[in-house]
């Protein structure tokens, strides 16, 4: 079994990984993701990985963040207490950055903030960005990093920006996150009679497609080059 583990909130983020024998842990959206990851790693089906790579989407908190921008997270910040941040291993970031750069992609090494509720309005994004200085916000990064740190597992966090700072998201996003069944189609159907909502959903769907392609390319590069990557880290 691979000693590289990919962690994602849903199956969508890892849908474009090519390796059939990779290990995955799908842990759900939000602050419970860290606990779910710890539970998964306690099961017999997993060995303790040498490296975990969490992948996911994020919303931009700055004017410079655009859909498709790839982030190698330098540190992850907790929403309620910005002084609580987990710094990721710089040597891991450097090696991962070199591997990703060789694919022709460019990854920014920046802070992300993990929020408990989705930031639906551009105003919310501006406020959080000014408060923490983070480039983008997700809903899992801090909690996954905390769990992996407690387990002593080296960890990378890769995020791709989905929505820009000036983009207001439809309420659909909040309803999907709050629905434990994960039945997105149900909430899509509720929105079909609202032209503005449908327009927002179509934009978001196109952005998600772009973000999934970027995540897939970066994650596939790490998986393909993991041998050299792991050796370089051990010799660091």
């Amino acid at each position: 079994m691979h000693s590289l583990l990919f962690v994602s909130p849903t199956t969508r983020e890892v849908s474009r990984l090519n390796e059939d024998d990779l290990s995955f842990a799908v842990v759900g959206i939000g602050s419970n993701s860290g606990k779910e990851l710890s539970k998964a790693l306690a099961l017999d089906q997993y060995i303790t990985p040498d490296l975990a790579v969490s992948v996911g989407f994020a919303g931009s908190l700055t004017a410079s963040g655009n859909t498709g921008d790839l982030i190698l997270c330098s540190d992850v910040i907790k929403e309620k207490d910005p002084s609580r941040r987990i710094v990721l291993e710089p040597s891991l970031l450097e090696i991962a950055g070199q591997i990703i750069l060789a694919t022709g992609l460019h990854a920014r090494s920046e802070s992300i903030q993990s929020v408990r509720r989705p930031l639906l309005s551009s105003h919310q994004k501006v406020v959080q960005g000014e408060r923490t200085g983070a480039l983008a916000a997700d809903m899992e990064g801090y909690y996954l990093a905390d769990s992996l740190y407690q387990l002593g597992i080296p960890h990378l966090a890769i995020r791709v920006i989905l929505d820009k700072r000036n983009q207001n998201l439809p309420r659909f996003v909040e309803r999907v996150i709050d629905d434990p069944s994960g039945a997105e189609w149900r909430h899509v159907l509720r929105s079909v009679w609202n032209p503005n909502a449908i327009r927002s959903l179509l934009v978001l769907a196109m952005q998600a497609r772009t973000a999934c392609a970027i995540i897939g390319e970066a994650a596939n590069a790490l998986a393909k080059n993991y041998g050299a990557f792991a050796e370089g880290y051990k010799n660091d």
Side-chain angles (χ1 to χ4, degrees):
M1 184 175 288
H2 276 258
S3 54
L4 173 63
L5 174 70
F6 284 95
V7 183
S8 65
T10 72
T11 56
R12 179 183 289 114
E13 294 85 0
V14 290
S15 62
R16 300 202 182 194
L17 266 71
N18 297 328
E19 298 286 336
D20 292 334
D21 57 347
L22 288 176
S23 293
F24 301 95
V26 177
V27 295
I29 298 171
S31 59
N32 285 330
S33 56
K35 294 178 183 177
E36 292 302 315
L37 176 59
S38 296
K39 289 179 187 176
L41 290 172
L43 298 176
D44 291 339
Q45 72 185 86
Y46 290 104
I47 60 171
T48 301
D50 293 329
L51 174 67
V53 180
S54 76
V55 296
F57 302 145
S60 181
L61 301 181
T62 72
S64 66
N66 292 302
T67 300
D69 284 357
L70 181 62
I71 307 169
L72 269 172
C73 305
S74 58
D75 56 299
V76 287
I77 305 168
K78 191 173 185 180
E79 177 183 22
K80 289 189 175 181
D81 184 0
S83 66
R84 292 183 65 180
R85 63 178 66 205
I86 298 173
V87 178
L88 278 68
E89 176 58 50
S91 59
L92 282 174
L93 293 174
E94 182 179 355
I95 296 168
Q98 291 171 359
I99 291 172
I100 291 171
L101 186 62
T103 70
L105 293 173
H106 173 69
R108 303 169 64 171
S109 182
E110 299 277 358
S111 303
I112 64 164
Q113 178 189 4
S114 293
V115 296
R116 286 186 171 269
R117 302 295 302 167
L119 304 178
L120 299 183
S121 72
S122 58
H123 175 71
Q124 288 175 305
K125 298 175 194 177
V126 169
V127 169
Q128 292 296 340
E130 291 177 348
R131 180 169 172 256
T132 64
L135 174 64
D138 77 346
M139 296 184 68
E140 300 83 30
Y142 178 87
Y143 307 102
L144 293 174
D146 186 48
S147 290
L148 290 163
Y149 177 79
Q150 298 297 330
L151 293 167
I153 298 173
H155 160 235
L156 281 169
I158 298 174
R159 298 293 181 270
V160 175
I161 289 179
L162 189 64
D163 49 298
K164 295 185 285 188
R165 187 180 72 171
N166 65 352
Q167 180 180 350
N168 294 316
L169 298 178
R171 288 286 173 189
F172 159 87
V173 172
E174 199 167 46
R175 291 196 295 267
V176 168
I177 289 171
D178 289 340
D179 186 349
S181 72
E184 289 187 19
W185 60 269
R186 181 185 305 157
H187 303 287
V188 171
L189 289 175
R190 289 179 181 174
S191 302
V192 295
W193 304 113
N194 184 333
N196 290 329
I198 287 296
R199 192 176 302 112
S200 296
L201 290 176
L202 289 173
V203 170
L204 204 55
M206 290 187 290
Q207 290 173 317
R209 185 174 182 178
T210 297
C212 280
I214 298 294
I215 287 178
E217 192 170 352
N220 280 320
L222 290 180
K224 183 178 179 180
N225 295 282
Y226 177 64
F229 174 62
E231 190 62 31
Y233 178 54
K234 289 175 183 176
N235 292 335
D236 185 60

